[in-house]
Amino acid sequence: MYPIYDTQVAKRFTIYNSLFLDLPFDDIYVTGTLLPFLGKACERGYASGKSPREIIDGFFEEMMPGENEKKRFDFLFEMIQYVERQVVLFDSIEDAAYEKINDISGKGSVKALINRVETDRKKEALIEKLKNFSVRLTLTAHPTQFYPGNVLGIITDLENAIRTDDLENINLLLQQLGKTGFINREQPTPFNEAVSLIWYLENVFYHSIPDIIIRLLKGLDQPLHTWENPAILKVGFWPGGDRDGNPFVTHETTIQVADRLKKWLMRCYYRDLRALKKRLTFKHVEEHIVKAERGIFFTLFENKEVYSSKDDLLAILLEAREALIKYHDGLFLDLLDRFILKVRIFGFHFAHMDLRQDSRKHDAFWEEVFSIQGKEFVGTEEELIDKVMKTKALPSLEHFEEPFHREILQSMATVKSVQKTNGEEGLHRYIISNCQSVLHLLEVYQLAKLTMGVKPGGLPVDIVPLFETVEDLKMAPEIMTRLYTMPEYKTHLKSRGSKQSIMLGFSDGTKDGGYLKANWSILVAKEELTRVSREHGIQVVFFDGRGGPVARGGGNLHNFYASLGQKVENSEIQVTIQGQTISSNYGKQVSCTYNFEQLLSAGLENHLYPDAEKNLNDEQRALIQQLADSGYEAYKALKSHPKFVPYLEHVAPLKFFGMTNIGSRPMKRGGGSGLKFEDLRAIPFVGSWAQMKQNIPGFYGVGSAIAELEKEGKMGELKKLYQDSLFFRTLLGNSMQSLNKCYYPATAYLKDNPEYSEFWKMLYKEFECSVEKLKQVAGMEELLEDNPVSKASIEIRERIVLPLITIQQYAIQIGLENGASAEILDKLILRTMFGIINATRNAA
């Protein structure tokens, strides 16, 4: 694929990039002409050991001698704006070539899967598996997408123009780009964030999901209108319900977002029904379509709830279907069946919302409940569980002094409200972040039961623990075993189809344990949770909090799910995606279809083609465990370094994430002015290391762990493990992507900084060690040499933003040398962040 990538992307970018120089804007010619000189000055400067300040000052002395400080700073801001637009152009060119640089019909596609099962006579086995298998992608509002909505619209149009080499339109769109601001003027509200993601539901997922399912079912000769599991592919939705991720979300936000989801789905249905009405103009059929259309019209435009559920709408459509076959030989039946399937997939909910809150908030809630009743909430865990489960009623709202506890009650009450309008699929899960005990699950279970006034076995909500830290993951099997043996909770699970969802990883896994330990701990926890769940007759469903960046557990998702083996339950694949991962991997119908099919195939093939090699043997497990433990020790040593938090606070651009207006949540959990490691949110934590081009959470401890095992003479075993285990290859491959995005020369000036010299050298030493040892284990001359397209994409993107990296470090360096930053320097740092993060959007 690399020659195609070089022609379709790299060379096209060189050609179209030159169009910027012809744009009719003041100073753009000067900026565009001088930018390559700055880029070269950066490359040569770093190669000769110069600091960012020396590079920028030297550039000005050579190219703009005699200019005053204001003119120099103005020029740097113009450079930033120019580079930001180059990144947009490159994104659009890559998107336009998506079908050419990815094998759309190759391995992992629906077409390839059907061909394989037919050849291997496993068609019936696949049909059976599909009756209870699903993939759920949950869109989160975690803000790593720096493009405002109007810029995303230009990118879409630019991509379409590039597909047809429409130079005139490309030129006009580049002019529009030149005049369009890249920064949100105001911080978005939680509702704004939801609205921006609903755009993807309406314009991408609404079309891609039915398309994939239709091709799959038709390829297997299954009828669309009666297929028993239409939810093979579905979308989860956190904006509006994720209170832990965003403390500004309220119960009103939840209702508002649920209403928006339903209304925008009705818009989609209305458009489809109007199109159907143009074709189904026959006697006995037309009246049913008109009736369906009017019902949606009244729901959408006059706020009249004509249909109490999707079943009411389906009943009308099925009558039309029967008449179409009976009187008109099924003319245009395929069009009607497609729409019926859409209604069965999306119901009245469009996407499945989740509620999420931190367990510590529930602890505090129950403390006040007992305080209102004149009792104390103290004792052993068993005693506290007994007190919670014996509670017959909750105090009314006005009795709570803490406003947040009133909000917890009102939030839980939204479940009934949303289920009434959008159906149970609209909101039926409550996720408990920082879950560390049986008590944490039962606090939410009892809260939900009492709020909704139901008896055991009547609760229409799934209680989902989120085990995040290394210690929590270790305790998870014991916690769930105790829960499974509780009579009342067993009754609840039976009413929910004997199915228990468990979320693993997410933000704090890697932040707490480092890359190797977190990922290995998650796999071990999954295996143990699978075992104990099977022993108790429970089907466990794993929900992976993988985010986007490798450091948060992201990376190559397809290989990740293909590598899990038979010890991990795989009845469903559930995973979070966020920010630029949504726009780059699922932002267009072609990329959404491709990536959804890859995930679907990975899960299905793991079941249909069990591979003994995927089940790690005892020797392999012991080797990975030793590696993970060694990496954990290295990461713990880094975390405990006295300069770890000060470096993030005063050197890395951590504090600027709160000023970017990309998300509505605060930078850290908890109040107070002091910065504590445990309160840091994952986005600014991971993002700060990415801005510095150091990517610590994505690799730290990998190199030193491999070196430690090499000393014990185990390098040969590691090399063999890399060749034999897809899990281990995927684990190290994802870390290679993170390392490939590092650029330590930009911060090498810190080795001479009296305060941070030792700490920077520690980071750099581990970086060098990790690169060297990973190449050694993988048998490569260069990282990612087995993935030249991804390697080329990263290299071009990093080269585009090298001037921004240098300008950012220039401002940081001056601030450190002066002992304080200045407003103009802060503004420079803030403005460079957008282009740097947007350029890292490739699927890492």
Side-chain angles (χ1 to χ4, degrees), residues 399-632:
H399 288 101
F400 286 90
E401 290 185 17
E402 172 55 57
F404 196 84
H405 296 160
R406 292 198 291 272
E407 178 57 41
I408 284 177
L409 262 182
Q410 290 170 299
S411 294
M412 189 62 83
T414 63
V415 174
K416 260 191 169 180
S417 175
V418 172
Q419 289 188 353
K420 185 179 178 183
T421 57
N422 294 22
E424 188 176 310
E425 302 106 315
L427 178 58
H428 65 89
R429 297 201 307 192
Y430 196 115
I431 298 164
I432 308 160
S433 303
N434 191 42
C435 188
Q436 298 178 326
S437 66
V438 174
L439 175 65
H440 285 158
L441 281 128
L442 295 177
E443 283 175 338
V444 174
Y445 167 77
Q446 190 71 350
L447 166 64
K449 194 179 75 172
L450 295 176
T451 304
M452 295 181 203
V454 296
K455 293 178 180 178
L459 185 63
V461 180
D462 298 317
I463 312 299
V464 183
L466 167 49
F467 300 111
E468 302 184 68
T469 67
V470 170
E471 193 56 35
D472 294 346
L473 289 164
K474 189 176 176 182
M475 293 294 295
E478 182 186 329
I479 290 170
M480 296 312 299
T481 299
R482 288 176 59 200
L483 201 67
Y484 290 154
T485 56
M486 293 188 65
E488 183 167 332
Y489 197 79
K490 282 172 74 174
T491 301
H492 165 65
L493 283 180
K494 191 174 181 182
S495 74
R496 304 300 291 167
S498 296
K499 186 183 286 189
Q500 172 69 55
S501 295
I502 299 175
M503 190 172 180
L504 299 167
F506 211 54
S507 309
D508 289 319
T510 308
K511 198 181 98 182
D512 173 60
Y515 181 72
L516 287 173
K517 184 72 170 179
N519 281 281
W520 177 240
S521 297
I522 289 168
L523 179 64
V524 171
K526 279 186 174 181
E527 291 175 341
E528 281 299 293
L529 286 165
T530 298
R531 181 183 62 79
V532 299
S533 298
R534 286 172 177 170
E535 284 174 3
H536 288 86
I538 303 298
Q539 184 184 53
V540 66
V541 175
F542 293 117
F543 180 18
D544 292 301
R546 290 176 64 79
V550 176
R552 302 188 72 214
N556 189 314
L557 277 181
H558 321 137
N559 284 345
F560 170 79
Y561 285 108
S563 72
L564 294 179
Q566 304 308 302
K567 290 184 179 179
V568 175
E569 192 68 71
N570 81 325
S571 58
E572 297 182 25
I573 287 177
Q574 297 192 13
V575 63
T576 58
I577 55 170
Q578 68 190 43
Q580 75 268 42
T581 311
I582 297 173
S583 59
S584 62
N585 286 8
Y586 298 91
K588 307 288 188 302
Q589 284 183 44
V590 62
S591 58
C592 179
T593 298
Y594 175 77
N595 284 295
F596 239 141
E597 286 189 24
Q598 291 287 319
L599 272 179
L600 182 66
S601 292
L604 292 170
E605 289 188 0
N606 207 17
H607 170 79
L608 294 169
Y609 297 93
D611 186 347
E613 290 183 4
K614 289 178 184 174
N615 296 321
L616 297 161
N617 61 40
D618 291 343
E619 290 79 11
Q620 291 172 325
R621 299 178 71 84
L623 198 62
I624 299 175
Q625 183 69 59
Q626 189 180 351
L627 198 70
D629 290 341
S630 183
Y632 187 36

Side-chain angles (χ1 to χ4, degrees), residues 18 89 123 138 144 211 247 263 298 315 371 385 548 555 747 761:
S18 64
L89 177 62
K123 185 175 172 181
T138 294
T144 55
D211 171 63
K263 277 190 175 169
F298 288 132
S371 174
I385 288 172
T747 53
K761 288 176 181 175

Side-chain angles (χ1 to χ4, degrees), residues 11 58 179 208 234 262 352 448 513 528 548 609 681 735 747 754:
K11 285 187 168 55
K179 287 183 173 289
S208 291
K234 45 195 175 184
K262 183 175 179 179
H352 305 266
E528 281 299 293
Y609 297 93
R681 289 179 178 273
S735 199
T747 53

Side-chain angles (χ1 to χ4, degrees), residues 1 32 76 82 111 129-130 148 169 181 228 259 312 360 517 569 587 655 703 735 757 762 832:
M1 283 292 177
L76 291 178
Y82 195 100
K111 183 179 178 182
K129 180 63 178 173
L130 282 170
N169 204 14
E228 62 188 80
D259 181 62
D312 294 344
R360 290 164 288 197
K517 184 72 170 179
E569 192 68 71
K655 63 184 178 183
S735 199
S757 173
M762 191 175 173
T832 56

Side-chain angles (χ1 to χ4, degrees), residues 273-290:
L273 279 166
R274 284 178 66 84
L276 266 177
K277 199 168 74 166
K278 287 181 181 179
R279 294 290 169 267
L280 301 181
T281 52
F282 322 130
K283 189 178 179 183
H284 303 303
V285 177
E286 185 178 29
E287 56 262 39
H288 296 302
I289 303 302
V290 169

Side-chain angles (χ1 to χ4, degrees), residues 224-228 230 266 269 273 276 288-289 291-293 295-296 306-323 336-349 425:
L224 300 185
H225 71 293
T226 56
W227 174 252
E228 62 188 80
M266 293 302 109
Y269 285 171
L273 279 166
L276 266 177
H288 296 302
I289 303 302
K291 183 181 178 182
E293 183 208 18
I296 296 296
V306 177
Y307 307 119
S308 61
S309 72
K310 69 177 180 184
D311 294 330
D312 294 344
L313 175 58
L314 283 169
I316 298 169
L317 297 173
L318 290 171
E319 283 179 18
R321 188 181 194 279
E322 192 176 316
L336 181 56
D337 276 351
R338 281 171 180 268
F339 183 65
I340 290 171
L341 182 65
K342 283 182 179 179
V343 176
R344 295 184 70 220
I345 292 168
F346 297 110
F348 279 5
H349 60 281
E425 302 106 315

